Amino acid sequence: MTDAIKIDVWSDVACPWCYIGKRNLESGLAQAARDDDPPRVEVTFHSFELAPDTPVDFDGGELDFLAGHKGMPKDEVEQMLANVTGVAADAGLAYRFDLLRHTNTVKAHELIHFATEHGRQLDTVERLMRAYFTEGRHIGRIDDLVELAAEIGLDAEAAREALTSDRHLTDVRRDQDQARAYGIEGVPFFVIDGTYGVSGAQPPEAFAQVARQVWAEHRSSAAEESDAAEEPAA
């Protein structure tokens, strides 16, 4: 059987473009899945903190954070948020920056690694991003993260133990070290088969195209290996 395409995604759950990129990736792969020879794809998310200095309980909204904490002009922030809200809507996402509760995301990343151990990584990434960008839920505190974990069927007490013990903090740091090794400075960033890099929230058609291209390479490589195996010994 032809090997699946491996797509490794570096993202932050508090990155608006990362949620858009995730949805566009899913839409692009769904397009390619309708082909006569659909690509087999395995997607894995990896931790990246855009603002590790953010407090867990930031006093203010997204405008306050970007204008005050990051020093951006307010009119520039308002325009930027309006722009990303429109792009998110095109991807089928209803962003609510008026509800958003800015926070530190390291514990959310630890929860994703916990969920990965239990085969629920993609569900957890989706739940955290939806909670943050569309529901105004807090994703920085352990109690809130445990509630979200339970909502998708993860064991609440096991999740709490993992978060309070910092058991998966080394996994988060390992992802970040790998990002630095790849030279990743911004997210979302997609690494395909450890070889091709795709930066930013590309449109679905771009993801469909790269999936088809890499799948064709997989199929060609598999055919060459099969031909070589069938050649008679000299």
Side-chain angles (χ1 to χ4, degrees), residues 2 4 7 18 32 35 45 51-52 68 72 78 86 104 114 123 153 158 163-165 168 171-172 189 217 226 234:
T2 304
I7 300 181
C18 291
D35 293 354
F45 280 80
M72 296 174 62
E78 290 173 344
N104 189 286
F114 167 78
D123 293 335
L163 294 174
T164 55
S165 68
H168 292 288
D171 298 317
V172 174
F189 196 92
E217 293 173 4
S226 176

Side-chain angles (χ1 to χ4, degrees), residues 103-176:
T103 186
N104 189 286
T105 60
V106 67
K107 286 297 176 186
H109 286 295
E110 290 180 39
L111 179 63
I112 292 169
H113 281 283
F114 167 78
T116 302
E117 283 188 342
H118 298 276
R120 302 297 300 274
Q121 187 197 72
L122 298 182
D123 293 335
T124 303
V125 172
E126 175 65 27
R127 186 69 192 96
L128 289 172
M129 288 182 167
R130 178 159 53 90
Y132 186 73
F133 285 108
T134 73
E135 299 174 359
R137 300 278 292 272
H138 203 302
I139 63 165
R141 298 183 301 225
I142 289 177
D143 286 347
D144 298 89
L145 289 169
V146 169
E147 286 183 10
L148 290 166
E151 287 178 15
I152 60 171
L154 290 168
D155 183 273
E157 289 311 309
R160 184 179 300 278
E161 185 280 326
L163 294 174
T164 55
S165 68
D166 295 333
R167 178 154 49 88
H168 292 288
L169 183 58
T170 54
D171 298 317
V172 174
R173 300 305 181 219
R174 189 178 300 113
D175 279 352
Q176 294 168 332

Side-chain angles (χ1 to χ4, degrees), residues 1-226:
M1 181 181 294
T2 304
D3 292 339
I5 300 169
K6 298 186 184 302
I7 300 181
D8 293 284
V9 186
W10 270 263
S11 70
D12 192 351
V13 290
C15 162
W17 292 105
C18 291
Y19 198 10
I20 294 168
K22 176 181 181 295
R23 191 59 87 246
N24 285 353
L25 172 65
E26 293 164 347
S27 297
L29 295 179
Q31 290 178 20
R34 294 192 289 270
D35 293 354
D36 291 336
D37 179 21
R40 294 176 54 243
V41 181
E42 296 176 1
V43 178
T44 303
F45 280 80
H46 299 275
S47 304
F48 192 101
E49 290 178 272
L50 282 174
D53 60 334
T54 307
V56 172
D57 290 302
F58 177 76
D59 185 16
E62 186 74 349
L63 178 63
D64 301 310
F65 177 79
L66 294 174
H69 196 65
K70 291 298 184 181
M72 296 174 62
K74 281 193 173 183
D75 57 344
E76 181 180 326
V77 173
E78 290 173 344
Q79 182 177 357
M80 183 185 71
L81 294 181
N83 175 59
V84 73
T85 299
V87 177
D90 290 339
L93 302 170
Y95 279 7
R96 291 293 306 272
F97 286 109
D98 57 320
L99 300 178
L100 188 147
R101 305 174 73 178
H102 211 88
T103 186
N104 189 286
T105 60
V106 67
K107 286 297 176 186
H109 286 295
E110 290 180 39
L111 179 63
I112 292 169
H113 281 283
F114 167 78
T116 302
E117 283 188 342
H118 298 276
R120 302 297 300 274
Q121 187 197 72
L122 298 182
D123 293 335
T124 303
V125 172
E126 175 65 27
R127 186 69 192 96
L128 289 172
M129 288 182 167
R130 178 159 53 90
Y132 186 73
F133 285 108
T134 73
E135 299 174 359
R137 300 278 292 272
H138 203 302
I139 63 165
R141 298 183 301 225
I142 289 177
D143 286 347
D144 298 89
L145 289 169
V146 169
E147 286 183 10
L148 290 166
E151 287 178 15
I152 60 171
L154 290 168
D155 183 273
E157 289 311 309
R160 184 179 300 278
E161 185 280 326
L163 294 174
T164 55
S165 68
D166 295 333
R167 178 154 49 88
H168 292 288
L169 183 58
T170 54
D171 298 317
V172 174
R173 300 305 181 219
R174 189 178 300 113
D175 279 352
Q176 294 168 332
D177 288 342
Q178 184 61 65
R180 283 189 286 271
Y182 277 141
I184 298 171
E185 297 181 350
V187 288
F189 196 92
F190 306 82
V191 177
I192 295 90
D193 280 347
T195 302
Y196 304 104
V198 177
S199 178
Q202 301 296 322
E205 294 75 18
F207 287 118
Q209 180 180 355
V210 72
R212 289 169 175 142
Q213 174 187 331
V214 176
W215 184 243
E217 293 173 4
H218 277 224
R219 297 289 281 175
S220 177
S221 178
E224 291 174 2
E225 291 176 3
S226 176

